[in-house]
Amino acid sequence: MSIRVQEADFDLSTEIAALRQARPELGAVVAFIGLVRDINAGAAVSELMLEHYPAMTQKALESIETQAKQRWDIDEVLVIHRVGRLLPTEQIVLVAVAGAHRGPAFQACEFIMDYLKTQAPFWKKEQTPDGARWVDARSSDDAAAQRWTQDLP
Amino acid sequence: MSIRVQEADFDLSTEIAALRQARPELGAVVAFIGLVRDINAGAAVSELMLEHYPAMTQKALESIETQAKQRWDIDEVLVIHRVGRLLPTEQIVLVAVAGAHRGPAFQACEFIMDYLKTQAPFWKKEQTPDGARWVDARSSDDAAAQRWTQDLP
Amino acid sequence: MALTVLYFARLRERLGLAQEGIALQPNLTSVGDLLNYLRARGPQWQAALGDEKVVRVAVNQDLAQNDTHLKDGDEVALFPPVTGG
Amino acid sequence: MALTVLYFARLRERLGLAQEGIALQPNLTSVGDLLNYLRARGPQWQAALGDEKVVRVAVNQDLAQNDTHLKDGDEVALFPPVTGG
């Protein structure tokens, strides 16, 4: 279990190699990479500022990872979330899950993203042609997280 | 849409960077990486030989990608499958899907893997302490692929 | 007998405040009490904290509800729905 | 008037054959006919192709069924269930 919150970018190959290191029983890795889009809610986005609540971020992500490991037969989890100033096309978040088989790895990776989106204390503020604005939470993210409370594996 | 069948290994960062290139509208990438496990069906595996039916491989993977693009709102798909001699911990397959949002990208990536596992003409032969043996197909893979015929999005 | 209250993101900007100490009182013992106490500070506070849907509360870094009890030394964070990932 | 028949993986090894040409005949016009024709070659063929579950067929690189019609020039591939990925 590994959680990192950082301003720096990350390299996908390096991170996945570290996750897999010396684990020849692993058969499947599922990775989600979130990117800064150049458009959101109908406006051009030139820049994103990501704020968080450090003490709670760590605790919330650890809780989400623990829940994923309790629910699915997976071996390794990595979450990296960037904070600070980000530009369109930059990587924001990496969630990688490794295990023997692909089904649990897919499920756990999507679960972690859905919970991160609704429970981890990050907030985005974006620069648009009309000025800076805080990004509104999406009801579709609540719905995505809600699925997991009904759909027990 | 990009499909490659090759003996050479691939670099995850390089492949995902190429997939995303000049596409600032992309917000989500989901990648599946399949690895050679050092144990299968109770026996130690020292080596894998991957055989395929080249003319059909290309056609089958193109059909699977086309179905995924018809079913989900995704922008880019990449499938790389290795053939030939592979050792434990080596990468076998990469399926990467990029789109604006994560839900369709997760679904499409898992769909492509499930269909690849049951419809793309690859066969694995593994070396074990008792000699070489062809890997048996798994009924769980048939079940995984079958889900998508019932579970229309 | 005091709480540390933290404000994040849009709330911090609207209130012009990142952190303050608030004394516990006989009628201020739960998250709901604290929200009512803050709303009573004036129209700006009422507007920023008035809608239950736009304010989330964490007590000691765990998401909390209106009936979550508050005790001396608690760190209470108020923030809008999260938008990371 | 001939088919090209390809064998892959375990089937190729069991039969000791990767490819052959087979002439179309009045009673050999479908995938099912071809399987029966091959099984009739002897015990080794019957054993390798006897169980419908262990042999899959593609005609011109598309998965086919027993009633799939065969025509001159078709490429017919016989193989066990796939195990890639």
Side-chain angles (χ1 to χ4, degrees):
Chain A
M1 188 144 93
S2 178
I3 291 166
R4 276 160 38 206
V5 178
Q6 61 190 44
E7 295 199 9
D9 197 9
F10 51 84
D11 176 65
L12 194 53
S13 293
T14 307
E15 299 300 340
I16 300 298
L19 187 77
R20 293 172 43 192
Q21 197 168 27
R23 300 294 299 267
E25 74 278 25
L26 298 177
V29 176
V30 175
F32 173 85
I33 305 106
L35 307 170
V36 182
R37 300 173 65 211
D38 68 349
I39 191 160
N40 185 39
V45 173
S46 58
E47 181 186 321
L48 212 59
M49 276 298 302
L50 254 153
E51 172 178 336
H52 76 129
Y53 173 13
M56 183 174 170
T57 307
Q58 186 70 24
K59 203 169 171 179
L61 292 175
E62 280 177 10
S63 164
I64 293 166
E65 288 199 10
T66 300
Q67 290 176 65
K69 286 194 154 193
Q70 284 169 347
R71 287 180 72 154
W72 288 283
D73 182 14
I74 55 175
D75 292 306
E76 296 290 336
V77 175
L78 169 67
V79 176
I80 301 176
H81 203 298
R82 292 177 69 194
V83 292
R85 181 167 174 270
L86 296 170
L87 301 175
T89 79
E90 285 199 75
Q91 304 182 119
I92 305 175
V93 62
L94 170 65
V95 173
V97 176
H101 300 293
R102 73 186 183 286
F106 269 112
Q107 297 273 300
C109 188
E110 195 168 8
F111 169 89
I112 292 169
M113 271 311 300
D114 287 347
Y115 271 51
L116 185 157
K117 281 267 184 186
T118 52
Q119 299 189 0
F122 295 96
W123 300 275
K124 288 182 185 136
K125 188 176 192 178
E126 57 193 14
Q127 285 289 347
T128 76
D130 295 329
R133 65 181 187 188
W134 289 96
V135 173
D136 281 322
R138 294 157 52 101
S139 60
S140 61
D141 286 330
D142 289 327
Q146 192 61 30
R147 283 183 309 158
W148 300 103
T149 63
Q150 293 149 0
D151 177 29
L152 291 169
Chain B
M1 189 144 94
S2 178
I3 291 164
R4 277 159 38 207
V5 177
Q6 61 189 44
E7 295 199 8
D9 197 9
F10 51 85
D11 177 65
L12 195 54
S13 293
T14 306
E15 298 300 340
I16 300 299
L19 187 77
R20 293 173 42 193
Q21 198 169 26
R23 300 293 298 267
E25 73 277 26
L26 298 176
V29 177
V30 175
F32 174 84
I33 305 105
L35 307 170
V36 182
R37 300 174 64 211
D38 68 348
I39 191 160
N40 185 39
V45 174
S46 58
E47 180 185 320
L48 212 59
M49 275 299 301
L50 255 153
E51 172 178 335
H52 77 130
Y53 173 14
M56 183 175 171
T57 308
Q58 186 71 24
K59 203 169 171 180
L61 292 175
E62 279 177 11
S63 164
I64 293 167
E65 287 199 10
T66 300
Q67 290 176 63
K69 285 194 155 190
Q70 283 168 348
R71 287 180 72 153
W72 289 282
D73 183 13
I74 55 176
D75 293 306
E76 296 290 335
V77 175
L78 169 67
V79 176
I80 302 176
H81 203 299
R82 293 177 69 194
V83 292
R85 182 168 173 270
L86 295 170
L87 300 175
T89 79
E90 284 200 75
Q91 304 183 120
I92 305 176
V93 62
L94 170 65
V95 173
V97 176
H101 301 292
R102 73 186 182 287
F106 269 111
Q107 297 273 300
C109 188
E110 195 168 8
F111 169 89
I112 292 168
M113 270 311 300
D114 287 346
Y115 271 51
L116 184 157
K117 281 266 183 187
T118 53
Q119 299 189 0
F122 295 97
W123 300 275
K124 287 181 185 137
K125 189 176 190 177
E126 58 193 15
Q127 284 289 347
T128 75
D130 295 329
R133 65 182 187 189
W134 289 96
V135 173
D136 281 322
R138 294 157 51 101
S139 59
S140 61
D141 286 329
D142 288 327
Q146 193 61 30
R147 284 184 308 159
W148 301 103
T149 63
Q150 293 149 1
D151 177 29
L152 291 169
Chain C
M1 296 292 281
L3 307 168
T4 300
V5 182
L6 309 177
Y7 303 92
F8 287 96
R10 183 189 276 139
L11 268 189
R12 185 191 64 247
E13 288 193 355
R14 286 184 71 170
L15 299 171
L17 185 65
Q19 178 170 348
E20 65 177 319
I22 291 180
L24 281 168
Q25 301 160 23
N27 61 344
L28 199 170
T29 63
S30 73
V31 165
D33 292 345
L34 176 65
L35 288 172
N36 287 333
Y37 170 87
L38 295 171
R39 288 182 190 119
R41 282 177 169 174
Q44 187 191 6
W45 290 82
Q46 175 64 36
L49 304 174
D51 186 345
E52 302 282 344
K53 283 186 203 148
V54 299
V55 56
R56 302 288 163 91
V57 183
V59 175
N60 299 328
Q61 302 94 42
D62 285 320
L63 285 172
Q65 307 301 324
N66 272 347
D67 61 3
T68 301
H69 189 73
L70 297 176
K71 63 181 192 309
D72 187 35
D74 279 351
E75 178 175 291
V76 183
L78 278 64
F79 47 78
V82 303
T83 57
Chain D
M1 296 292 280
L3 309 168
T4 300
V5 182
L6 310 177
Y7 304 91
F8 287 96
R10 183 188 276 140
L11 269 189
R12 185 193 64 248
E13 289 193 354
R14 287 184 70 170
L15 299 171
L17 185 66
Q19 177 170 349
E20 65 178 318
I22 292 181
L24 281 167
Q25 302 160 21
N27 61 344
L28 199 169
T29 62
S30 72
V31 165
D33 293 345
L34 176 65
L35 288 172
N36 287 333
Y37 170 86
L38 294 171
R39 287 181 191 122
R41 283 176 168 175
Q44 186 193 5
W45 289 81
Q46 175 64 37
L49 303 175
D51 185 346
E52 301 281 344
K53 283 186 201 146
V54 300
V55 56
R56 302 288 163 91
V57 183
V59 175
N60 299 327
Q61 303 92 42
D62 285 320
L63 285 173
Q65 308 301 324
N66 271 347
D67 62 1
T68 301
H69 190 73
L70 298 176
K71 63 181 192 309
D72 187 34
D74 280 350
E75 179 176 290
V76 183
L78 278 66
F79 46 78
V82 304
T83 57

